[in-house]
Amino acid sequence: MKKARIALAIGIVCISIFPILVKLNLTPGIISAFYRMLFSLLLLLPYVLITKQLKIPNIKTAILAITCGIIFGSDVAIWNIAIQESTATQASLLTNLSPVWLGIFSLLFVKDKPKNNFWIGTVIAVFGMMMLVGFSVFRNLDFDLPFSFGVLSGVLYAIYMLVSKEVLKTMNVISFMTISLMASSLHLGVVSYALNEPFTGFSNAGWLVLIVQAVFCQLLAWLLISYATQHMRATRVSLSLLGQGILASIFAWIFIDETISLQMVLGGFILLFGIRITFYEKPIAPAFKKNKLKRFRTNT
């Protein structure tokens, strides 16, 4: 479990630079997602072929892995568009509501139901996220297409985490990433071609950003996060990913001179506290009832 938590922490750091790169707006959103997947696949594939680590347990698992690739590729493309067409803060807020969707889906479709700790931690963490991005952002959300894309991105993200957890029960991380990236690349390539998106003509900085996204935000980050998902609860991993909002704000302050207010700092601490609650091993509500009963008996 300790290795999984370390992997998750490093993975979160890697994906935290993604909103900053997208905010540079050097390439269209869908094409950016396409090259993120394709470059990651081209880097991973030689290792997989040389070491012969591609192992597919059965057809059902392979289909689920392909489905994960299509879902995740769509999620990244939609989130890119939401960031570019509105603001990074609004898009991040809506996408980072994915733990709520994941909890609901887990409650409806998964035998291993979320514990009370998850719901308590989610409420606290989402409140912290709202403080981090600012309550005015939440109040002024425009219910337009970018807003819809932000919400849809969060839903797709939750579905991906839920399905990938099932796939990783029978498939190793390398095989899963390879099949998923193949599906994402093909899916986004077809969509980009159908929409007449430009595949070339970008600046040197644009190509560099695409490579950084592929190496750090996709390949390294999601190898680590997939490993964590394999060994931890999907709901816990999803909620922990909210921590990227804090790091993204710090990176924005360092690299693009965005300001950090006291409210943002407090929101960050509240968000981390909410995440910490989900890592508490004993259910909070039963423990509270037990202590309350013990005090009652002592008083009587």
Side-chain angles (χ1 to χ4, degrees):
M1 180 65 77
K2 186 177 181 181
K3 290 182 179 179
R5 292 183 180 184
I6 294 173
L8 179 60
I10 298 173
I12 289 173
V13 173
C14 291
I15 62 176
S16 296
I17 64 174
F18 179 66
I20 308 302
L21 298 176
V22 174
K23 202 170 183 180
L24 296 175
N25 206 17
L26 297 175
T27 56
I30 298 177
I31 280 293
S32 175
F34 165 70
Y35 278 116
R36 169 176 166 173
M37 304 303 165
L38 180 63
F39 288 164
S40 298
L41 176 63
L42 294 177
L43 289 169
L44 181 62
L45 201 54
Y47 171 79
V48 173
L49 295 176
I50 292 171
T51 58
K52 300 179 180 180
Q53 290 201 33
L54 184 59
K55 299 178 181 178
I56 304 173
N58 51 63
I59 297 298
K60 179 182 177 182
T61 304
I63 292 174
L64 287 176
I66 292 171
T67 302
C68 282
I70 295 173
I71 292 172
F72 186 76
S74 301
D75 171 42
V76 173
I78 288 171
W79 191 30
N80 286 356
I81 295 172
I83 292 174
Q84 293 177 347
E85 296 298 327
S86 58
T87 63
T89 49
Q90 174 174 306
S92 297
L93 171 63
L94 296 172
T95 298
N96 284 324
L97 292 178
S98 59
V100 178
W101 299 113
L102 183 57
I104 294 172
F105 293 151
S106 298
L107 191 65
L108 294 175
F109 303 113
V110 179
K111 292 182 180 180
D112 189 13
K113 307 299 182 185
K115 296 181 180 180
N116 293 327
N117 303 25
F118 169 77
W119 296 110
I120 296 172
T122 296
V123 172
I124 295 173
V126 169
F127 179 78
M129 174 60 69
M130 291 170 61
M131 282 192 67
L132 182 66
V133 302
F135 291 108
S136 60
V137 173
F138 188 77
R139 287 196 304 267
N140 297 330
L141 292 178
D142 295 321
F143 295 90
D144 51 11
L145 186 60
F147 176 91
S148 301
F149 276 8
V151 173
L152 180 58
S153 176
V155 174
L156 290 174
Y157 201 42
I159 296 173
Y160 170 80
M161 292 299 297
L162 203 60
V163 178
S164 65
K165 177 66 177 179
E166 291 301 311
V167 176
L168 289 168
K169 289 179 180 178
T170 56
M171 179 179 284
N172 65 62
V173 173
I174 296 296
S175 297
F176 169 72
M177 284 291 295
T178 303
I179 295 174
S180 176
L181 286 171
M182 286 181 178
S184 295
S185 301
L186 180 60
H187 167 63
L188 291 172
V190 171
V191 171
S192 298
Y193 181 78
L195 296 176
N196 293 319
E197 293 283 307
F199 286 85
T200 58
F202 310 128
S203 65
N204 292 335
W207 286 114
L208 178 62
V209 165
L210 292 174
I211 293 172
V212 171
Q213 285 185 33
V215 175
F216 293 99
C217 304
Q218 181 60 39
L219 188 58
L220 179 58
W222 284 98
L223 280 172
L224 294 169
I225 293 171
S226 295
Y227 173 80
T229 303
Q230 193 174 41
H231 294 85
M232 298 169 63
R233 290 175 177 270
T235 49
R236 182 174 287 178
V237 173
S238 178
L239 192 59
S240 298
L241 291 176
L242 288 178
Q244 66 179 290
I246 299 173
L247 293 175
S249 298
I250 294 174
F251 289 147
W253 172 59
I254 295 173
F255 296 112
I256 56 178
D257 296 326
E258 288 193 0
T259 58
I260 296 181
S261 64
L262 178 61
Q263 177 179 307
M264 294 174 69
V265 174
L266 291 175
F269 278 115
I270 292 173
L271 191 155
L272 291 175
F273 177 66
I275 294 173
R276 178 64 185 89
I277 286 177
T278 67
F279 280 85
Y280 186 70
E281 296 299 332
K282 296 180 180 180
I284 292 176
F288 174 77
K289 292 179 180 178
K290 183 178 180 180
N291 291 334
K292 186 176 181 181
L293 180 61
K294 184 177 180 180
R295 288 197 300 269
F296 174 78
R297 289 176 177 174
T298 301
N299 293 334
T300 55

